[in-house]
Coordinates of all heavy atoms in Angstrom, one line a residue:
M295 N 14.9 -10.9 22.5 CA 14.5 -12.2 22.0 C 14.2 -12.1 20.5 O 13.3 -11.4 20.1 CB 13.2 -12.7 22.8 CG 12.9 -14.1 22.5 SD 11.5 -14.6 23.6 CE 10.1 -14.5 22.5
S296 N 14.9 -12.7 19.7 CA 14.7 -12.6 18.3 C 14.1 -14.0 17.8 O 14.6 -15.0 18.1 CB 15.9 -12.3 17.5 OG 16.9 -13.3 17.7
P297 N 13.1 -13.9 16.9 CA 12.6 -15.2 16.4 C 13.6 -15.9 15.5 O 14.2 -15.3 14.7 CB 11.4 -14.7 15.6 CG 11.6 -13.3 15.3 CD 12.5 -12.7 16.3
K298 N 13.7 -17.2 15.7 CA 14.6 -18.0 14.9 C 14.1 -18.3 13.5 O 14.8 -18.3 12.6 CB 14.9 -19.3 15.6 CG 15.8 -19.1 16.9 CD 16.4 -20.5 17.3 CE 17.4 -20.3 18.4 NZ 16.9 -20.5 19.7
H299 N 12.8 -18.4 13.5 CA 12.2 -18.8 12.3 C 10.9 -18.0 12.1 O 10.0 -18.1 12.9 CB 11.8 -20.3 12.2 CG 11.1 -20.7 11.0 ND1 11.7 -20.7 9.7 CD2 9.8 -21.0 10.8 CE1 10.8 -21.1 8.8 NE2 9.7 -21.3 9.4
V300 N 10.9 -17.1 11.1 CA 9.7 -16.4 10.8 C 9.0 -17.0 9.6 O 9.5 -17.1 8.5 CB 10.0 -14.9 10.4 CG1 8.8 -14.1 10.1 CG2 10.8 -14.3 11.6
P301 N 7.8 -17.5 9.8 CA 7.1 -18.1 8.6 C 6.7 -17.1 7.6 O 6.2 -16.0 7.9 CB 5.8 -18.7 9.3 CG 5.6 -18.1 10.6 CD 7.0 -17.5 11.0
L302 N 7.0 -17.4 6.3 CA 6.8 -16.5 5.2 C 5.6 -17.0 4.4 O 5.4 -18.2 4.2 CB 8.1 -16.4 4.3 CG 9.3 -15.8 5.0 CD1 10.5 -15.8 4.0 CD2 9.0 -14.4 5.5
R303 N 4.9 -16.0 3.9 CA 3.8 -16.3 2.9 C 3.9 -15.4 1.8 O 4.4 -14.3 1.9 CB 2.5 -16.2 3.6 CG 2.2 -17.3 4.7 CD 2.1 -18.7 4.2 NE 1.9 -19.7 5.2 CZ 2.8 -20.3 6.0 NH1 4.1 -20.0 5.8 NH2 2.4 -21.1 6.9
K304 N 3.3 -15.7 0.7 CA 3.3 -14.9 -0.5 C 2.0 -14.1 -0.6 O 0.9 -14.7 -0.6 CB 3.6 -15.7 -1.8 CG 3.8 -14.8 -3.0 CD 4.5 -15.6 -4.1 CE 3.5 -16.4 -4.8 NZ 4.2 -17.1 -6.0
C305 N 2.1 -12.8 -0.8 CA 1.0 -12.0 -1.0 C 0.4 -12.3 -2.4 O 1.1 -12.3 -3.4 CB 1.4 -10.5 -0.9 SG 0.1 -9.4 -1.5
I306 N -1.0 -12.5 -2.4 CA -1.6 -12.8 -3.7 C -1.7 -11.6 -4.6 O -2.1 -11.7 -5.7 CB -3.0 -13.5 -3.5 CG1 -3.9 -12.5 -2.7 CG2 -2.8 -14.8 -2.8 CD1 -5.4 -13.0 -2.7
G307 N -1.5 -10.4 -4.0 CA -1.5 -9.2 -4.8 C -0.2 -8.9 -5.5 O -0.1 -9.1 -6.7
C308 N 0.8 -8.6 -4.7 CA 2.1 -8.2 -5.3 C 3.1 -9.3 -5.4 O 4.2 -9.2 -5.9 CB 2.7 -7.1 -4.4 SG 3.1 -7.6 -2.7
Q309 N 2.7 -10.5 -5.0 CA 3.5 -11.8 -5.1 C 4.8 -11.7 -4.3 O 5.7 -12.4 -4.7 CB 3.8 -12.0 -6.6 CG 2.6 -12.0 -7.5 CD 1.8 -13.3 -7.5 OE1 2.3 -14.3 -7.8 NE2 0.5 -13.2 -7.1
T310 N 4.8 -10.9 -3.3 CA 6.0 -10.7 -2.5 C 5.9 -11.7 -1.3 O 4.9 -11.8 -0.7 CB 6.2 -9.3 -2.0 OG1 6.2 -8.4 -3.2 CG2 7.5 -9.1 -1.2
M311 N 7.1 -12.3 -0.9 CA 7.1 -13.1 0.3 C 7.3 -12.2 1.5 O 8.2 -11.3 1.5 CB 8.3 -14.1 0.2 CG 8.2 -15.1 -0.9 SD 6.9 -16.3 -0.7 CE 7.4 -17.2 0.7
K312 N 6.4 -12.3 2.5 CA 6.5 -11.5 3.7 C 6.2 -12.4 4.9 O 5.7 -13.5 4.8 CB 5.4 -10.4 3.6 CG 5.7 -9.4 2.5 CD 5.0 -8.1 2.9 CE 5.3 -7.1 1.8 NZ 4.7 -5.8 2.1
A313 N 6.6 -11.8 6.0 CA 6.3 -12.5 7.3 C 4.8 -12.7 7.4 O 4.0 -11.8 7.1 CB 6.8 -11.8 8.5
K314 N 4.4 -13.9 7.8 CA 3.0 -14.3 7.8 C 2.2 -13.3 8.7 O 1.1 -12.9 8.4 CB 2.9 -15.7 8.4 CG 1.6 -16.3 8.4 CD 1.6 -17.7 9.0 CE 0.2 -18.2 9.2 NZ 0.3 -19.5 9.9
R315 N 2.9 -12.8 9.8 CA 2.1 -11.9 10.7 C 1.9 -10.5 10.1 O 1.1 -9.7 10.6 CB 2.8 -11.8 12.0 CG 4.2 -11.2 11.9 CD 4.7 -10.7 13.3 NE 6.1 -10.1 13.1 CZ 7.2 -10.8 13.1 NH1 7.2 -12.1 13.3 NH2 8.3 -10.2 12.9
D316 N 2.6 -10.2 9.0 CA 2.5 -8.9 8.3 C 1.4 -9.0 7.2 O 1.2 -8.0 6.6 CB 3.8 -8.4 7.7 CG 4.8 -8.1 8.8 OD1 4.4 -7.8 9.9 OD2 6.0 -8.1 8.5
L317 N 0.8 -10.1 7.0 CA -0.2 -10.3 6.0 C -1.5 -10.6 6.7 O -1.6 -11.0 7.8 CB 0.2 -11.4 5.1 CG 1.5 -11.3 4.3 CD1 2.0 -12.6 3.7 CD2 1.5 -10.2 3.3
I318 N -2.6 -10.3 5.9 CA -3.9 -10.8 6.4 C -4.2 -12.1 5.7 O -3.9 -12.4 4.6 CB -5.0 -9.8 6.2 CG1 -5.1 -9.4 4.7 CG2 -4.9 -8.6 7.1 CD1 -6.4 -8.6 4.4
R319 N -4.8 -13.0 6.5 CA -5.2 -14.3 5.9 C -6.7 -14.3 5.6 O -7.5 -13.9 6.4 CB -4.9 -15.4 6.9 CG -5.2 -16.8 6.4 CD -4.6 -17.9 7.4 NE -4.7 -19.2 6.8 CZ -5.5 -20.2 7.2 NH1 -6.3 -20.0 8.2 NH2 -5.6 -21.3 6.6
I320 N -7.0 -14.8 4.4 CA -8.4 -15.1 4.1 C -8.5 -16.6 3.9 O -7.7 -17.2 3.3 CB -8.7 -14.3 2.7 CG1 -8.5 -12.8 2.9 CG2 -10.1 -14.6 2.3 CD1 -8.4 -12.0 1.7
V321 N -9.5 -17.1 4.5 CA -9.6 -18.6 4.6 C -11.0 -19.0 4.0 O -12.0 -18.4 4.1 CB -9.5 -19.1 6.0 CG1 -10.6 -18.6 6.9 CG2 -9.4 -20.6 6.1
A322 N -10.9 -20.1 3.2 CA -12.0 -20.8 2.7 C -12.2 -22.0 3.6 O -11.5 -22.9 3.6 CB -11.8 -21.2 1.2
T323 N -13.2 -21.9 4.4 CA -13.4 -23.0 5.5 C -14.0 -24.2 4.8 O -14.7 -24.1 3.8 CB -14.3 -22.4 6.6 OG1 -15.6 -22.1 6.1 CG2 -13.7 -21.2 7.2
P324 N -13.9 -25.3 5.5 CA -14.4 -26.6 5.0 C -15.9 -26.6 4.8 O -16.4 -27.3 4.0 CB -14.0 -27.6 6.1 CG -12.8 -27.0 6.7 CD -13.1 -25.6 6.7
D325 N -16.6 -25.7 5.5 CA -18.1 -25.6 5.3 C -18.5 -24.7 4.2 O -19.7 -24.4 4.0 CB -18.8 -25.3 6.6 CG -18.4 -23.9 7.2 OD1 -17.7 -23.2 6.5 OD2 -18.9 -23.6 8.3
G326 N -17.5 -24.1 3.5 CA -17.8 -23.4 2.3 C -17.8 -21.9 2.4 O -18.0 -21.1 1.5
A327 N -17.6 -21.4 3.7 CA -17.6 -19.9 3.9 C -16.2 -19.4 3.5 O -15.2 -20.1 3.5 CB -17.9 -19.6 5.3
I328 N -16.2 -18.1 3.2 CA -14.9 -17.4 2.9 C -14.9 -16.2 3.9 O -15.9 -15.4 3.9 CB -14.7 -17.0 1.5 CG1 -14.7 -18.2 0.5 CG2 -13.5 -16.1 1.3 CD1 -14.7 -17.8 -0.9
R329 N -13.9 -16.1 4.7 CA -13.8 -15.0 5.6 C -12.4 -14.6 5.9 O -11.5 -15.4 5.7 CB -14.6 -15.3 6.9 CG -14.1 -16.5 7.6 CD -15.0 -16.8 8.8 NE -14.6 -18.0 9.4 CZ -13.6 -18.1 10.3 NH1 -12.9 -17.0 10.6 NH2 -13.3 -19.2 10.9
I330 N -12.2 -13.4 6.5 CA -10.9 -13.0 7.0 C -10.7 -13.8 8.3 O -11.6 -14.0 9.1 CB -10.9 -11.5 7.3 CG1 -11.0 -10.8 6.0 CG2 -9.6 -11.1 8.0 CD1 -11.2 -9.3 6.1
D331 N -9.4 -14.3 8.4 CA -9.1 -15.1 9.5 C -8.1 -14.4 10.4 O -6.9 -14.4 10.2 CB -8.5 -16.4 9.0 CG -7.9 -17.3 10.1 OD1 -8.3 -17.0 11.3 OD2 -7.0 -18.1 9.8
P332 N -8.6 -13.6 11.4 CA -7.6 -12.8 12.2 C -6.6 -13.7 13.0 O -5.6 -13.2 13.3 CB -8.6 -12.0 13.1 CG -10.0 -12.4 12.7 CD -9.9 -13.6 11.9
T333 N -7.0 -14.9 13.3 CA -6.1 -15.7 14.1 C -5.0 -16.4 13.3 O -4.0 -16.8 13.8 CB -6.9 -16.8 14.8 OG1 -7.4 -17.8 13.8 CG2 -8.1 -16.3 15.6
G334 N -5.3 -16.5 12.0 CA -4.3 -17.2 11.1 C -4.3 -18.7 11.3 O -3.5 -19.4 10.8
K335 N -5.3 -19.2 12.1 CA -5.3 -20.6 12.5 C -6.5 -21.4 12.1 O -6.7 -22.6 12.3 CB -5.1 -20.7 14.0 CG -3.8 -20.3 14.5 CD -3.7 -20.3 16.0 CE -2.4 -19.7 16.5 NZ -2.4 -19.4 17.9
A336 N -7.5 -20.7 11.4 CA -8.7 -21.4 11.0 C -8.4 -22.5 10.0 O -7.5 -22.4 9.2 CB -9.7 -20.4 10.4
A337 N -9.2 -23.6 10.1 CA -9.0 -24.7 9.2 C -9.5 -24.3 7.8 O -10.5 -23.5 7.7 CB -9.8 -25.9 9.7
G338 N -8.8 -24.8 6.8 CA -9.3 -24.5 5.4 C -8.1 -24.0 4.6 O -7.0 -23.8 5.1
R339 N -8.4 -23.7 3.3 CA -7.4 -23.2 2.4 C -7.3 -21.7 2.6 O -8.3 -21.0 2.6 CB -7.9 -23.5 1.0 CG -6.9 -23.1 -0.1 CD -7.5 -23.5 -1.4 NE -7.3 -24.9 -1.7 CZ -6.2 -25.5 -2.1 NH1 -5.1 -24.8 -2.4 NH2 -6.2 -26.8 -2.3
G340 N -6.1 -21.3 2.8 CA -5.8 -19.9 3.1 C -5.1 -19.1 2.0 O -4.4 -19.7 1.2
A341 N -5.4 -17.8 1.9 CA -4.6 -17.0 1.0 C -4.2 -15.8 1.8 O -4.8 -15.4 2.8 CB -5.5 -16.5 -0.1
Y342 N -3.0 -15.2 1.4 CA -2.5 -14.1 2.2 C -2.4 -12.9 1.4 O -2.1 -12.9 0.1 CB -1.1 -14.5 2.7 CG -1.2 -15.6 3.7 CD1 -1.2 -16.9 3.3 CD2 -1.2 -15.3 5.1 CE1 -1.3 -18.0 4.2 CE2 -1.4 -16.4 6.0 CZ -1.4 -17.7 5.6 OH -1.5 -18.7 6.5
L343 N -2.6 -11.7 2.0 CA -2.6 -10.5 1.3 C -2.0 -9.4 2.2 O -2.2 -9.4 3.4 CB -4.1 -10.1 1.0 CG -4.4 -8.9 0.2 CD1 -3.9 -9.1 -1.3 CD2 -5.9 -8.6 0.2
C344 N -1.1 -8.5 1.6 CA -0.6 -7.4 2.4 C -1.8 -6.5 2.8 O -2.8 -6.4 2.0 CB 0.3 -6.5 1.5 SG 1.7 -7.3 0.8
P345 N -1.7 -5.9 4.0 CA -2.9 -5.1 4.4 C -2.8 -3.7 3.8 O -2.8 -2.7 4.5 CB -2.6 -5.0 5.9 CG -1.2 -5.2 6.1 CD -0.7 -6.1 5.0
T346 N -2.8 -3.7 2.5 CA -2.9 -2.4 1.8 C -3.9 -2.5 0.7 O -4.2 -3.6 0.1 CB -1.5 -2.1 1.1 OG1 -1.3 -3.1 0.0 CG2 -0.4 -2.1 2.0
V347 N -4.5 -1.4 0.4 CA -5.6 -1.3 -0.6 C -4.9 -1.6 -2.0 O -5.5 -2.2 -2.9 CB -6.3 0.1 -0.6 CG1 -7.2 0.2 -1.8 CG2 -7.1 0.2 0.7
A348 N -3.7 -1.2 -2.2 CA -3.0 -1.5 -3.5 C -2.9 -2.9 -3.8 O -3.2 -3.4 -4.9 CB -1.6 -0.8 -3.5
C349 N -2.5 -3.7 -2.8 CA -2.4 -5.2 -3.0 C -3.8 -5.8 -3.2 O -4.0 -6.7 -3.9 CB -1.6 -5.9 -1.9 SG 0.1 -5.6 -2.0
F350 N -4.7 -5.3 -2.4 CA -6.1 -5.7 -2.5 C -6.6 -5.6 -4.0 O -7.2 -6.5 -4.5 CB -7.0 -4.9 -1.6 CG -8.5 -5.1 -1.8 CD1 -9.1 -6.1 -1.1 CD2 -9.2 -4.2 -2.6 CE1 -10.5 -6.3 -1.3 CE2 -10.5 -4.4 -2.8 CZ -11.2 -5.5 -2.2
E351 N -6.3 -4.4 -4.5 CA -6.8 -4.1 -5.9 C -6.1 -5.0 -6.9 O -6.7 -5.4 -7.9 CB -6.8 -2.6 -6.2 CG -7.9 -2.0 -5.4 CD -8.0 -0.5 -5.6 OE1 -7.1 0.1 -6.1 OE2 -9.1 0.0 -5.2
L352 N -4.8 -5.2 -6.7 CA -4.1 -6.1 -7.6 C -4.7 -7.5 -7.5 O -4.9 -8.1 -8.6 CB -2.6 -6.2 -7.1 CG -1.6 -5.3 -7.8 CD1 -0.3 -5.4 -7.0 CD2 -1.4 -5.6 -9.2
A353 N -4.9 -8.0 -6.3 CA -5.5 -9.3 -6.2 C -6.9 -9.4 -6.8 O -7.2 -10.4 -7.5 CB -5.5 -9.7 -4.7
L354 N -7.6 -8.4 -6.7 CA -9.0 -8.3 -7.2 C -8.9 -8.4 -8.8 O -9.6 -9.2 -9.4 CB -9.7 -7.1 -6.8 CG -11.1 -6.8 -7.2 CD1 -12.0 -8.0 -6.6 CD2 -11.6 -5.5 -6.6
K355 N -8.0 -7.6 -9.3 CA -7.9 -7.5 -10.8 C -7.4 -8.8 -11.4 O -7.9 -9.2 -12.4 CB -6.8 -6.4 -11.1 CG -7.0 -5.8 -12.4 CD -5.9 -4.6 -12.6 CE -6.2 -3.5 -11.7 NZ -5.2 -2.4 -11.8
R356 N -6.5 -9.5 -10.7 CA -6.0 -10.8 -11.2 C -6.8 -12.0 -10.8 O -6.5 -13.1 -11.1 CB -4.6 -11.0 -10.5 CG -3.6 -10.0 -10.8 CD -2.5 -10.3 -9.9 NE -1.2 -10.0 -10.6 CZ 0.0 -10.0 -10.0 NH1 0.1 -10.4 -8.8 NH2 1.0 -9.7 -10.7
K357 N -7.9 -11.8 -10.1 CA -8.7 -12.9 -9.6 C -7.8 -13.8 -8.8 O -8.0 -15.1 -8.8 CB -9.4 -13.6 -10.7 CG -10.4 -12.7 -11.4 CD -11.3 -13.5 -12.4 CE -12.3 -12.7 -13.2 NZ -13.1 -11.9 -12.4
A358 N -6.8 -13.3 -8.1 CA -5.9 -14.1 -7.4 C -6.5 -14.8 -6.3 O -6.1 -16.0 -5.9 CB -4.7 -13.2 -7.0
L359 N -7.5 -14.2 -5.6 CA -8.1 -14.9 -4.5 C -8.9 -16.1 -4.9 O -8.8 -17.2 -4.3 CB -9.0 -13.9 -3.7 CG -9.5 -14.4 -2.4 CD1 -8.3 -14.8 -1.4 CD2 -10.4 -13.4 -1.7
E360 N -9.6 -16.0 -6.0 CA -10.4 -17.1 -6.5 C -9.4 -18.2 -6.8 O -9.7 -19.4 -6.6 CB -11.1 -16.7 -7.9 CG -12.4 -16.0 -7.7 CD -12.2 -14.4 -7.7 OE1 -11.0 -14.0 -7.4 OE2 -13.2 -13.7 -8.0
R361 N -8.3 -17.9 -7.5 CA -7.3 -18.9 -7.8 C -6.7 -19.6 -6.6 O -6.6 -20.8 -6.5 CB -6.2 -18.4 -8.7 CG -6.6 -18.3 -10.2 CD -5.4 -18.4 -11.1 NE -4.4 -17.3 -10.8 CZ -4.5 -16.1 -11.3 NH1 -5.4 -15.9 -12.2 NH2 -3.6 -15.2 -11.0
A362 N -6.4 -18.8 -5.6 CA -5.8 -19.3 -4.4 C -6.7 -20.2 -3.6 O -6.3 -21.2 -3.1 CB -5.2 -18.2 -3.5
L363 N -8.0 -19.8 -3.6 CA -8.9 -20.5 -2.8 C -9.7 -21.6 -3.6 O -10.4 -22.4 -3.0 CB -10.0 -19.6 -2.1 CG -9.4 -18.5 -1.2 CD1 -10.5 -17.6 -0.7 CD2 -8.6 -19.1 -0.1
K364 N -9.5 -21.6 -4.9 CA -10.1 -22.5 -5.8 C -11.6 -22.5 -5.7 O -12.3 -23.5 -5.7 CB -9.6 -23.9 -5.6 CG -8.1 -24.0 -5.8 CD -7.6 -25.5 -5.9 CE -6.1 -25.6 -5.9 NZ -5.5 -24.9 -7.1
R365 N -12.2 -21.3 -5.5 CA -13.6 -21.2 -5.5 C -14.0 -19.7 -5.8 O -13.1 -18.8 -5.6 CB -14.2 -21.6 -4.2 CG -13.9 -20.8 -3.0 CD -14.5 -21.4 -1.8 NE -14.0 -22.7 -1.5 CZ -14.2 -23.4 -0.4 NH1 -15.1 -22.9 0.5 NH2 -13.7 -24.5 -0.2
P366 N -15.2 -19.4 -6.3 CA -15.6 -18.0 -6.5 C -15.6 -17.3 -5.2 O -16.0 -17.8 -4.2 CB -17.0 -18.1 -7.1 CG -17.2 -19.5 -7.4 CD -16.2 -20.4 -6.6
V367 N -15.2 -16.0 -5.3 CA -15.2 -15.1 -4.1 C -16.3 -14.1 -4.3 O -16.2 -13.2 -5.1 CB -13.8 -14.5 -3.9 CG1 -13.8 -13.6 -2.7 CG2 -12.8 -15.6 -3.7
P368 N -17.3 -14.1 -3.4 CA -18.4 -13.2 -3.6 C -18.0 -11.7 -3.3 O -17.0 -11.5 -2.6 CB -19.4 -13.6 -2.5 CG -19.0 -14.9 -2.0 CD -17.5 -15.0 -2.3
A369 N -18.6 -10.8 -4.0 CA -18.3 -9.4 -3.9 C -18.3 -8.9 -2.4 O -17.5 -8.1 -2.0 CB -19.2 -8.5 -4.7
E370 N -19.2 -9.5 -1.6 CA -19.3 -9.0 -0.2 C -18.0 -9.4 0.6 O -17.7 -8.7 1.6 CB -20.6 -9.4 0.5 CG -20.8 -10.9 0.6 CD -21.6 -11.4 -0.6 OE1 -21.6 -10.8 -1.7 OE2 -22.3 -12.4 -0.4
I371 N -17.4 -10.4 0.2 CA -16.1 -10.8 0.8 C -15.0 -9.7 0.5 O -14.4 -9.2 1.4 CB -15.6 -12.2 0.3 CG1 -16.6 -13.3 0.6 CG2 -14.2 -12.5 0.9 CD1 -16.8 -13.5 2.1
W372 N -15.0 -9.4 -0.8 CA -14.0 -8.3 -1.2 C -14.4 -7.0 -0.4 O -13.5 -6.3 0.1 CB -14.1 -8.1 -2.7 CG -13.4 -9.1 -3.4 CD1 -13.9 -10.1 -4.2 CD2 -12.0 -9.4 -3.5 NE1 -13.0 -10.9 -4.8 CE2 -11.8 -10.5 -4.3 CE3 -10.9 -8.7 -2.8 CZ2 -10.5 -10.9 -4.6 CZ3 -9.6 -9.2 -3.1 CH2 -9.4 -10.3 -4.0
D373 N -15.6 -6.7 -0.3 CA -16.0 -5.5 0.4 C -15.6 -5.5 1.8 O -15.1 -4.5 2.4 CB -17.6 -5.3 0.4 CG -18.0 -4.9 -1.0 OD1 -17.2 -4.5 -1.9 OD2 -19.3 -4.9 -1.3
S374 N -15.8 -6.6 2.5 CA -15.4 -6.7 3.9 C -13.9 -6.6 4.1 O -13.4 -6.0 5.0 CB -16.1 -7.9 4.6 OG -15.1 -9.0 4.7
V375 N -13.1 -7.3 3.1 CA -11.7 -7.2 3.2 C -11.3 -5.7 3.0 O -10.4 -5.2 3.8 CB -11.0 -8.1 2.1 CG1 -9.5 -7.8 2.1 CG2 -11.3 -9.5 2.4
K376 N -11.9 -5.1 2.0 CA -11.5 -3.7 1.7 C -11.8 -2.8 2.9 O -11.0 -1.9 3.3 CB -12.2 -3.2 0.5 CG -11.6 -1.9 0.0 CD -12.1 -1.5 -1.4 CE -11.4 -0.3 -1.9 NZ -12.0 0.2 -3.1
R377 N -12.9 -3.0 3.5 CA -13.3 -2.2 4.7 C -12.2 -2.4 5.8 O -11.8 -1.4 6.5 CB -14.7 -2.5 5.2 CG -15.8 -1.7 4.5 CD -17.0 -1.7 5.4 NE -17.5 -3.1 5.6 CZ -18.3 -3.8 4.7 NH1 -18.7 -3.2 3.6 NH2 -18.7 -5.0 5.0
Q378 N -11.8 -3.6 6.0 CA -10.8 -3.9 7.0 C -9.5 -3.2 6.7 O -8.8 -2.6 7.6 CB -10.5 -5.4 7.2 CG -11.0 -5.9 8.5 CD -10.5 -7.2 8.8 OE1 -9.4 -7.7 8.4 NE2 -11.2 -7.9 9.7
L379 N -9.1 -3.2 5.4 CA -7.9 -2.6 5.0 C -8.0 -1.1 5.2 O -7.0 -0.4 5.7 CB -7.6 -2.8 3.5 CG -7.3 -4.3 3.2 CD1 -7.1 -4.4 1.7 CD2 -6.0 -4.7 3.9
E380 N -9.1 -0.5 4.8 CA -9.2 1.0 5.0 C -9.2 1.3 6.5 O -8.7 2.4 6.9 CB -10.5 1.4 4.3 CG -10.4 1.4 2.8 CD -11.7 1.6 2.1 OE1 -12.8 1.4 2.7 OE2 -11.6 1.8 0.9
G381 N -9.7 0.4 7.3 CA -9.7 0.7 8.7 C -8.3 0.6 9.3 O -8.0 1.4 10.2
T382 N -7.5 -0.3 8.9 CA -6.2 -0.5 9.4 C -5.2 0.5 8.8 O -4.2 0.8 9.4 CB -5.6 -1.9 9.2 OG1 -5.7 -2.2 7.8 CG2 -6.5 -3.0 9.9
A383 N -5.5 1.1 7.7 CA -4.6 2.0 7.0 C -4.3 3.2 7.8 O -3.2 3.8 7.7 CB -5.1 2.4 5.6
H384 N -5.2 3.5 8.7 CA -5.0 4.7 9.5 C -4.1 4.4 10.7 O -3.8 5.3 11.5 CB -6.3 5.3 10.0 CG -7.2 5.6 8.8 ND1 -7.0 6.7 7.9 CD2 -8.3 5.0 8.3 CE1 -7.9 6.7 7.0 NE2 -8.7 5.7 7.2
G385 N -3.8 3.1 10.9 CA -2.9 2.7 12.0 C -3.6 2.5 13.3 O -3.0 2.7 14.3
Ligands
LIG505 ZN1 1.3 -7.4 -1.4

């Protein structure tokens, strides 16, 4: 069974289009929170990032997440994203 249509999203770090399921979604919810969205279905403005520390640091350096979500991103959000990346990096 091969998927007919793979939804693509652009990584805010390296700016590469990738399959949505290969990226992590960070969502700015309507109530003002910013969090990682493991389901990819939470309501709100989303940004996508490759699950690598390299892309994380690119996005951080460029303030790409702030731009994508159109709001300031607190340091603890970055910390929690980074922790998740470091956790998944080991497979
Ligand atoms: Zn990337």
